[in-house]
Amino acid sequence: MEIKIVKTTTPKEKPAANALGFGKYFTDHMFVMDYSVEKGWHDARIIPYGPFEFEPSCMVFHYGQSIFEGLKAYKGADGGVLLYRPYENMKRMNRSNDRLCIPQIDEDFAVDAIRQLVLLDKDWIPEGEGTSLYIRPFVFGTDNALGVHPSHTYKFIVILSPVGSYYAGGLSPVKIWVESEYVRAVRGGIGAAKTAGNYAASLKAQEVAEKKGYSQVLWLDGVEQKYVEEVGAMNIFFKIGGEVVTPVLNGSILGGITRDSVIEVLRGSGYKVTERKISIDEVHEAYKNGKLEEVFGTGTAAVISPVGELCYKGEKMVINNNEIGEVSQMLYDTITGMQKGAIEDKYNFTYKI
Amino acid sequence: MEIKIVKTTTPKEKPAANALGFGKYFTDHMFVMDYSVEKGWHDARIIPYGPFEFEPSCMVFHYGQSIFEGLKAYKGADGGVLLYRPYENMKRMNRSNDRLCIPQIDEDFAVDAIRQLVLLDKDWIPEGEGTSLYIRPFVFGTDNALGVHPSHTYKFIVILSPVGSYYAGGLSPVKIWVESEYVRAVRGGIGAAKTAGNYAASLKAQEVAEKKGYSQVLWLDGVEQKYVEEVGAMNIFFKIGGEVVTPVLNGSILGGITRDSVIEVLRGSGYKVTERKISIDEVHEAYKNGKLEEVFGTGTAAVISPVGELCYKGEKMVINNNEIGEVSQMLYDTITGMQKGAIEDKYNFTYKI
Ligand SMILES: Cc1ncc(COP(=O)(O)O)c(C=O)c1O
Ligand SMILES: Cc1ncc(COP(=O)(O)O)c(C=O)c1O
């Protein structure tokens, strides 16, 4: 399918590097494609970024049949543009589509659409330390009808947002609240899909945690509320007695692409990494015995987030003296280095466009 | 707050009574109100039904911070217009709002907005047997920004849809699939809220059940996958050995307003009704012992849905010879009679506007 391109005649002014933040500004163009039962995916186009008209009966407002992805583009050391593992994001998008009864999207075509869009708006890629161009592909049902069933029409849209460094003052440890009341997801549910409802479900606990001074929530499993699952928008890793462990993908955890990269890089660097069930009691036990050496989150937004404190049922566990651990720092340097093309990418993660 | 009214200058043609279906046609007007942190809820207005412009970054597409309600208006026997328990819907709406971090809405004001809107479009209320005007209030976050946190701006909209009879050929039993793989909700989650994500989560199981010839899914609890919870958009009741039982509201089940009405009507008619945990094994045991006398669903759309067959792990339980039970029929006649003002409403359920 050919992508029709309509360029803007009124390019916007680009925001100042220090005002970027996350997801506040959008570039001059977006990619759009429509789906109908008769035509399949059709009318692929790159057009000026702008609003759409939606009827109030449009399904997405009512039933949340909607999925999204998140990845980043970087300006390379040599001036080229690099994407980070875009095919992995498109594969995950299709897994989410399947769980939400949304039609599949050709992954090669989608990566090519992203490539063309990013190249058109490449002057929007910020260059400061820790900055990047965030890419948000998303799909949602657009039938104008009430009644709970899969939509017959969809929109696939990709928008781009230049984003600032996640850590204003450089990499620094975060405080995390272990949630023992609210639950995000359960096996048999939609937790493994990147779908709107999971994020809606997370808002309340996040609000409560923030009021207590914690920046994120660590979710426990929905069945026993005992096993560690993941953080708001990150997967989680523990270094216990020299071994790195992370919760196994059990059907209610999102399979992070950074998580996958971290496992590969650690193994490639000689670390032992185990994916398995980890109870919060085991973490606490390791803490008491002085064996909880490092904790960190992994995700596209921050890449690596060292965890300085975990609070579970009122008990605070201060990790590694609230300092950045050795493994966290190594992973951050290695992955961000590859993303920017500053260090050799022996894993084939980056995709030059 | 005053409601500004702008009437349409191009009223639409009304659909034929036999073409109504559910949620396909919308009336000439809608109610809209906006929220911002500075102004609170403001700019309440009734305007011609029509589309809105939304940026692709609008939060609702990405994070599903969205809740809705569903209730009905009826043309009474004396030509007056009746709503059914609208205050209960607005109370539930605020419980959903709370769970989803959406600001509260004044319940009296919201009922009055619905009253004014329905009266303006009262010629759209169909009059055939089993027909009504479906009222869909809904609220969603509208910030144009990415990042998972509660929106700072919202829209509250009410749209109206004339709907046909749920049962084309009169009340008749449905076949229901007991779901033992997929899970809709779990305690600590969002199951008790009427929020978009719950419906998105239900699509896949519903699709699988339909392919097997079942019209709806009966969900089991998320923890043990053992206790009966509710049907897609209905609560569920069992008559076992003379006693009527229904799952107790445990935090993952939506508290249906029809469910509540049914409990009152049954008790008012001398039946014993118990709200408690009911395992699917207990239901199956009762079936084998010939004690499973009736099963029915309750919800705004169909009011009462007699269940003629339950299928659990391949085993089919045919209930009451696949015929409408005595209790189901009595409840259907009583509640729809009150809704239309045809029989005396000793429970004070109807609200004449
Ligand atoms: C719920 C959740 N878990 C984990 C992640 C991390 O995934 P990734 O590394 O692909 O960004 C994200 C963010 O994308 C997320 O939203
Ligand atoms: C999940 C769910 N359960 C139960 C019900 C029944 O609730 P009510 O009787 O208020 O319509 C509905 C429909 O509204 C529903 O969506």
Side-chain angles (χ1 to χ4, degrees):
Chain A
M1 190 175 8
E2 210 207 325
I3 301 177
K4 199 180 96 186
I5 299 183
V6 181
K7 287 192 193 166
T8 184
T9 52
T10 54
K12 292 181 277 198
E13 207 174 314
K14 297 184 181 62
N18 61 1
L20 289 177
F22 185 86
K24 295 195 304 185
Y25 300 97
F26 298 92
T27 67
D28 283 325
H29 299 91
M30 60 185 176
F31 173 83
V32 188
M33 177 162 81
D34 296 299
Y35 178 91
S36 70
V37 176
E38 306 76 38
K39 296 192 194 174
W41 287 109
H42 65 278
D43 203 5
R45 56 208 189 267
I46 290 174
I47 55 175
Y49 180 91
F52 294 90
E53 280 204 340
F54 291 103
E55 304 255 330
S57 61
C58 183
M59 276 201 171
V60 66
F61 301 126
H62 304 266
Y63 307 123
Q65 196 192 5
S66 143
I67 65 94
F68 69 92
E69 270 304 326
L71 67 160
K72 286 177 170 175
Y74 304 85
K75 196 68 78 66
D78 62 355
V81 178
L82 297 162
L83 299 183
Y84 188 72
R85 308 191 77 182
Y87 288 96
E88 292 303 314
N89 287 90
M90 293 304 99
K91 271 188 226 161
R92 185 170 69 187
M93 179 170 78
N94 270 337
R95 290 198 300 273
S96 300
N97 281 337
D98 179 60
R99 184 63 182 84
L100 274 294
C101 303
I102 296 173
Q104 297 284 298
I105 295 173
D106 186 285
E107 291 158 20
D108 293 319
F109 179 77
V111 171
D112 190 56
I114 290 172
R115 185 186 65 78
Q116 292 195 40
L117 178 66
V118 170
L119 285 180
L120 184 61
D121 279 345
K122 72 172 185 306
D123 293 345
W124 283 84
I125 308 177
E127 298 189 29
E129 169 65 25
T131 66
S132 59
L133 186 70
Y134 181 75
I135 303 167
R136 168 59 59 93
F138 59 114
V139 192
F140 56 94
T142 56
D143 278 7
N144 292 321
L146 303 180
V148 182
H149 50 72
S151 186
H152 303 91
T153 57
Y154 297 87
K155 268 195 153 50
F156 171 47
I157 304 178
V158 184
I159 56 179
L160 306 176
S161 172
V163 299
S165 173
Y166 199 82
Y167 299 102
L171 195 62
S172 72
V174 296
K175 288 170 69 179
I176 287 188
W177 177 260
V178 183
E179 180 57 49
S180 53
E181 181 188 348
Y182 295 111
V183 171
R184 172 189 173 273
V186 66
R187 56 93 187 75
I190 54 175
K194 209 160 163 70
T195 177
N198 289 330
Y199 299 85
S202 77
L203 295 172
K204 188 83 178 177
Q206 176 73 26
E207 193 175 74
V208 173
E210 276 173 21
K211 285 206 180 112
K212 295 192 173 112
Y214 292 82
S215 67
Q216 308 237 22
V217 163
L218 176 61
W219 297 103
L220 300 180
D221 77 285
V223 176
E224 300 182 59
Q225 293 187 290
K226 184 173 156 183
Y227 295 97
V228 171
E229 298 226 312
E230 61 182 314
V231 184
M234 298 196 290
N235 296 106
I236 187 99
F237 286 75
F238 303 89
K239 185 160 166 265
I240 299 180
E243 184 188 357
V244 181
V245 293
T246 189
V248 64
L249 298 180
N250 60 355
S252 53
I253 297 174
L254 188 80
I257 290 154
T258 320
R259 174 186 181 280
D260 189 76
S261 309
V262 158
I263 293 173
E264 271 204 59
V265 170
L266 282 175
R267 288 186 180 150
S269 314
Y271 284 89
K272 181 163 181 231
V273 188
T274 312
E275 300 176 69
R276 61 170 171 85
K277 279 174 105 166
I278 304 155
S279 73
I280 186 69
D281 291 336
E282 176 186 347
V283 172
H284 189 222
E285 206 53 39
Y287 174 73
K288 282 194 300 190
N289 299 336
K291 291 190 157 179
L292 186 60
E293 296 149 3
E294 275 189 57
V295 181
F296 55 91
T298 66
T300 295
V303 188
I304 303 294
S305 257
V307 176
E309 184 187 318
L310 282 174
C311 182
Y312 178 55
K313 295 195 171 162
E315 186 159 354
K316 293 180 184 179
M317 303 180 236
V318 176
I319 296 135
N320 194 34
N321 267 320
N322 203 21
E323 281 163 20
I324 304 167
E326 205 178 294
V327 175
S328 308
Q329 188 71 55
M330 181 278 283
L331 288 167
Y332 183 79
D333 294 341
T334 308
I335 296 177
T336 59
M338 289 190 287
Q339 286 171 335
K340 295 237 164 200
I343 66 174
E344 191 208 347
D345 171 12
K346 60 179 174 178
Y347 303 96
N348 239 325
F349 287 159
T350 49
Y351 177 72
K352 196 157 184 170
I353 63 174
Chain B
M1 189 177 5
E2 211 206 326
I3 300 177
K4 199 179 95 185
I5 299 183
V6 180
K7 287 192 195 166
T8 183
T9 52
T10 54
K12 292 181 276 197
E13 208 173 315
K14 297 184 180 62
N18 60 3
L20 289 177
F22 184 86
K24 296 196 304 185
Y25 299 97
F26 298 92
T27 67
D28 283 325
H29 299 90
M30 61 184 175
F31 173 83
V32 189
M33 179 162 80
D34 295 300
Y35 179 90
S36 69
V37 174
E38 305 76 38
K39 296 192 192 174
W41 286 109
H42 65 278
D43 203 5
R45 56 207 189 268
I46 290 173
I47 55 176
Y49 180 91
F52 294 89
E53 280 204 339
F54 291 103
E55 304 254 332
S57 61
C58 184
M59 275 201 174
V60 68
F61 300 126
H62 305 267
Y63 307 124
Q65 195 192 7
S66 143
I67 65 94
F68 69 93
E69 271 302 328
L71 67 161
K72 284 176 171 178
Y74 304 85
K75 195 67 78 64
D78 63 355
V81 177
L82 296 162
L83 299 183
Y84 188 72
R85 309 190 78 182
Y87 289 96
E88 293 303 314
N89 287 90
M90 293 304 100
K91 271 187 225 160
R92 185 170 68 187
M93 179 170 78
N94 270 336
R95 290 198 301 273
S96 300
N97 281 338
D98 180 60
R99 184 65 182 82
L100 274 293
C101 303
I102 296 173
Q104 297 283 297
I105 294 173
D106 186 286
E107 290 159 20
D108 293 319
F109 179 78
V111 171
D112 191 56
I114 291 172
R115 185 186 64 79
Q116 292 194 42
L117 178 65
V118 169
L119 285 180
L120 184 61
D121 279 346
K122 72 172 185 304
D123 292 346
W124 283 84
I125 309 177
E127 297 190 28
E129 170 64 26
T131 66
S132 59
L133 186 70
Y134 181 75
I135 304 167
R136 167 60 57 95
F138 59 114
V139 192
F140 55 94
T142 56
D143 279 7
N144 292 322
L146 303 179
V148 182
H149 50 72
S151 187
H152 302 91
T153 57
Y154 297 87
K155 269 195 153 49
F156 172 46
I157 303 178
V158 184
I159 57 179
L160 307 176
S161 171
V163 299
S165 173
Y166 200 82
Y167 299 102
L171 196 62
S172 73
V174 295
K175 287 170 69 179
I176 287 187
W177 177 261
V178 184
E179 180 57 51
S180 54
E181 180 187 348
Y182 295 112
V183 171
R184 172 190 173 272
V186 66
R187 57 93 185 76
I190 54 175
K194 210 162 161 69
T195 177
N198 290 329
Y199 299 87
S202 77
L203 294 173
K204 188 83 178 178
Q206 176 74 26
E207 192 175 73
V208 174
E210 277 173 21
K211 283 204 184 115
K212 295 192 172 112
Y214 291 83
S215 67
Q216 308 236 21
V217 163
L218 176 62
W219 297 103
L220 300 179
D221 77 285
V223 176
E224 300 181 59
Q225 293 187 290
K226 182 173 156 185
Y227 295 99
V228 170
E229 297 225 312
E230 60 182 315
V231 184
M234 299 196 289
N235 296 106
I236 189 99
F237 286 75
F238 303 89
K239 184 158 165 267
I240 299 179
E243 185 189 356
V244 181
V245 293
T246 190
V248 64
L249 298 180
N250 59 355
S252 53
I253 297 174
L254 188 79
I257 290 155
T258 319
R259 173 186 182 279
D260 188 77
S261 309
V262 158
I263 293 174
E264 271 204 58
V265 170
L266 283 175
R267 288 186 179 149
S269 315
Y271 285 89
K272 181 161 182 234
V273 188
T274 312
E275 300 175 70
R276 62 170 170 84
K277 278 173 104 166
I278 303 156
S279 73
I280 186 69
D281 291 335
E282 175 187 347
V283 172
H284 189 221
E285 205 54 39
Y287 173 74
K288 283 194 298 190
N289 299 334
K291 290 191 157 180
L292 185 61
E293 295 148 4
E294 276 189 55
V295 181
F296 56 91
T298 67
T300 295
V303 186
I304 303 294
S305 257
V307 176
E309 183 186 319
L310 283 174
C311 182
Y312 178 56
K313 295 193 171 163
E315 186 158 354
K316 293 180 183 179
M317 303 179 238
V318 175
I319 295 136
N320 195 34
N321 266 320
N322 203 21
E323 282 164 20
I324 303 166
E326 205 179 294
V327 175
S328 308
Q329 188 71 54
M330 181 279 284
L331 288 167
Y332 184 79
D333 294 341
T334 307
I335 296 176
T336 58
M338 289 191 287
Q339 285 171 334
K340 294 238 162 196
I343 66 174
E344 192 207 347
D345 172 11
K346 60 179 176 179
Y347 304 96
N348 239 326
F349 287 159
T350 49
Y351 177 71
K352 195 156 185 171
I353 62 175

